Amino acid sequence: MQAGKRNMERMAEAVPDTDDQVLQNFLTHSAWDYRGVMNQVARKADLCIGAEGGTGLYLDESAFQKKGDKSVGVARQWNGRLGKQDNCQVGVFGALGRADRVSLIDARLYLPREWTDDPRRCEEADVPRAQRVHRTKLELALEIVRHARQIGVRFDWVGMDGMYGQSFDLLQTLDAQGETFVADIHSDRQIYVTDPAPYVPAQIAGQGRPRLRCYSEAKAVEVRKWLKQQPHSQWRTITLRSTTKGKLTVEILHRRVWLWDKRSPSAQCWHLLVRREANSPSTLKYSLSNAAAQMSTTKLAKMQAQRFWIERAFQDAKSHVGMAQYQARQWQSWHRHMALVMMATQFMLETRLKYAQNCPLLSCYDIQILLATTLPDRRYDSHEEVMRQMRLRHDRRQASTESAIRNSSN
């Protein structure tokens, strides 16, 4: 909160009775369980969010740009924030949310195959042996859902973007586990407008192997091509919520469609929602949901819109509590940093709820500034303290310079 640059050295210059080595040891080597902290944050979030109906568990990933190849999980991979391939770490996150309340409750670091196929690299980064098995982001997302249920977190549905929603296998697994989902999909997703009624052709006695493969006479169509055939009268105007810029109004196209993987003996009949912005008709979002058949269009549209808040959670965590600013190369330290970030943002949520009646516009930025200006700051203790810190910085820069010279001469 107080350090202009959020690293161990700058933090130690502000926080009394500590130093950067103590902070680094706390993050990397000390004996505490990051999973226990995350679980406690999840349970506290459940108390102030999950206790009421209409709660979603949102799944999404976030990338952290990094240099070099030592930080655990770092590789050249997709960085959604930059919109391109980049050298970064990627974590899969879960957030509990209802209305404008949201709290990050779980984090799982994605390890690319170039890491799990390299035992030496995993050993150097202290990756636990049980974690040295390649898990896709989809598998990590499913672990987050299952773990939340195991520790008693309450939510009505799972929300996810197109990266996860495009996986029909993931959606079928969630459906089989009794989870309701609202999942964004890509515009080229194949759908059926009628039941494809899969069947196995009759076997002709004595001819060939037994027939096991399912067939259908129905033709699938890409959802974007189907959309072009729909009349304007099918769209409904729905107001989702009030914002600082007025009411958020969208147009929704809703109907039941079938999804089939061309393997199963039956197809899934789910809701298809197409959303377009009232002020930007070309901005389209496609979503599938296995919610009850009688679920209203308005409720589905509001559930679809709820996933926005995990992006807000990332924004607050990165802007106000240093989520993306860390000195952590090892497995334990990355997860511990994320656990501390979750604890800090949960504190901010609880603070905003506590003072909502007297200060309804209280923001994470407000809390950051209040803490930064009221917590003890050793830099203001004395002139001698300021000079001591300056000499320490100079000593370290000098030692770094001398070390670089020695290495170059060798």
Side-chain angles (χ1 to χ4, degrees):
M1 302 299 175
Q2 296 159 297
K5 185 177 181 181
R6 295 184 177 110
N7 60 44
M8 299 299 187
E9 293 182 7
R10 300 293 82 79
M11 289 166 63
E13 290 177 348
V15 180
D17 303 319
T18 191
D19 62 61
D20 59 290
Q21 292 181 344
V22 170
L23 295 176
Q24 189 66 61
N25 181 71
F26 170 70
L27 197 66
T28 305
H29 300 296
S30 61
W32 62 276
D33 176 22
Y34 69 80
R35 179 52 59 190
V37 174
M38 289 183 183
N39 289 348
Q40 179 66 6
V41 169
R43 293 187 180 103
K44 295 193 75 175
D46 176 72
L47 290 176
C48 59
I49 300 176
E52 303 179 41
T55 299
L57 176 64
Y58 317 138
L59 304 173
D60 205 350
E61 63 186 62
S62 189
F64 305 90
Q65 192 174 21
K66 291 293 172 183
K67 296 180 180 179
D69 60 359
K70 298 299 183 183
S71 298
V72 61
V74 71
R76 189 160 185 81
Q77 52 192 324
W78 180 255
N79 185 327
R81 184 178 65 84
L82 299 179
K84 64 178 183 178
Q85 295 284 327
D86 190 45
N87 199 58
C88 60
Q89 295 168 299
V90 175
V92 180
F93 292 83
L96 194 68
R98 184 180 64 82
D100 61 351
R101 302 180 187 182
V102 63
S103 184
L104 295 170
I105 65 169
D106 203 346
R108 316 250 166 167
L109 181 65
Y110 171 68
L111 287 182
R113 288 194 183 277
E114 60 197 80
W115 273 83
T116 55
D117 291 346
D118 190 337
R120 179 191 59 80
R121 205 176 183 191
C122 288
E123 190 72 28
E124 291 177 351
D126 284 336
V127 178
R129 293 194 178 277
Q131 303 295 336
R132 299 180 190 180
V133 177
H134 180 71
R135 294 176 175 85
T136 67
K137 297 173 185 176
L138 302 177
E139 290 171 326
L140 295 177
L142 193 57
E143 287 179 9
I144 289 174
V145 177
R146 289 170 174 166
H147 184 74
R149 289 296 187 198
Q150 289 170 0
I151 63 175
V153 176
R154 292 164 288 184
F155 53 92
D156 297 331
W157 82 92
V158 179
M160 66 199 84
D161 70 5
M163 206 291 289
Y164 299 89
Q166 195 68 1
S167 170
F168 191 38
D169 287 341
L170 175 61
L171 300 187
Q172 286 182 304
T173 300
L174 289 172
D175 185 70
Q177 293 179 358
E179 299 290 355
T180 299
F181 60 77
V182 178
D184 292 351
I185 56 173
H186 299 161
S187 62
D188 61 353
R189 159 62 70 188
Q190 298 273 330
I191 61 170
Y192 293 86
V193 295
T194 60
D195 187 349
Y199 68 94
V200 177
Q203 182 75 30
I204 300 176
Q207 294 187 11
R209 298 178 180 179
R211 295 181 177 179
L212 302 176
R213 184 180 175 185
C214 292
Y215 293 84
S216 172
E217 305 302 331
K219 300 296 183 182
V221 60
E222 289 184 357
V223 66
R224 60 188 172 190
K225 294 181 179 178
W226 168 83
L227 181 63
K228 292 179 180 180
Q229 302 169 5
Q230 306 312 302
H232 179 74
S233 59
Q234 295 297 311
W235 291 87
R236 286 185 53 190
T237 300
I238 294 176
T239 298
L240 298 177
R241 61 175 179 266
S242 296
T243 72
T244 56
K245 298 181 180 179
K247 294 187 180 298
L248 176 60
T249 300
V250 298
E251 294 180 312
I252 298 291
L253 184 62
H254 172 214
R255 72 160 293 165
R256 300 275 283 173
V257 298
W258 281 261
L259 282 294
W260 182 46
D261 58 10
K262 297 187 178 181
R263 302 189 307 269
S264 304
S266 62
Q268 302 282 3
C269 185
W270 290 336
H271 298 275
L272 170 66
L273 243 65
V274 185
R275 164 181 161 176
R276 67 185 182 192
E277 306 298 324
N279 298 324
S280 180
S282 61
T283 302
L284 298 169
K285 177 180 287 189
Y286 306 87
S287 301
L288 291 172
S289 177
N290 66 334
Q294 65 271 22
M295 183 76 72
S296 71
T297 302
T298 298
K299 187 169 183 179
L300 283 168
K302 290 184 176 181
M303 291 164 66
Q304 181 197 52
Q306 278 288 100
R307 198 186 57 78
F308 156 81
W309 292 102
I310 192 171
E311 300 294 344
R312 181 61 179 270
F314 288 147
Q315 180 183 349
D316 286 341
K318 291 180 179 181
S319 298
H320 306 301
V321 295
M323 183 184 193
Q325 295 174 297
Y326 53 84
Q327 295 173 310
R329 287 185 170 182
Q330 296 179 313
W331 175 273
Q332 285 272 61
S333 51
W334 187 90
H335 285 87
R336 286 176 171 180
H337 174 76
M338 295 305 165
L340 295 173
V341 165
M342 292 177 191
M343 186 169 65
T345 53
Q346 174 63 23
F347 164 78
M348 286 184 162
L349 173 62
E350 292 178 13
T351 301
R352 292 167 62 199
L353 294 176
K354 181 178 179 180
Y355 296 102
Q357 186 171 0
N358 296 327
C359 193
L361 298 181
L362 186 66
S363 67
C364 290
Y365 175 73
D366 294 329
I367 297 171
Q368 176 191 344
I369 297 302
L370 287 168
L371 289 174
T373 54
T374 56
L375 288 171
D377 191 328
R378 70 196 299 181
R379 293 171 294 186
Y380 303 124
D381 286 349
S382 66
H383 175 70
E384 288 74 18
E385 174 62 21
V386 174
M387 296 304 295
R388 184 193 69 81
Q389 292 184 11
M390 184 182 72
R391 288 192 294 270
L392 179 60
R393 291 195 297 271
H394 291 182
D395 290 344
R396 287 179 171 176
R397 283 202 292 267
Q398 183 63 36
S400 178
T401 300
E402 292 175 356
S403 175
I405 293 174
R406 287 195 302 271
N407 290 336
S408 63
S409 63
N410 292 336

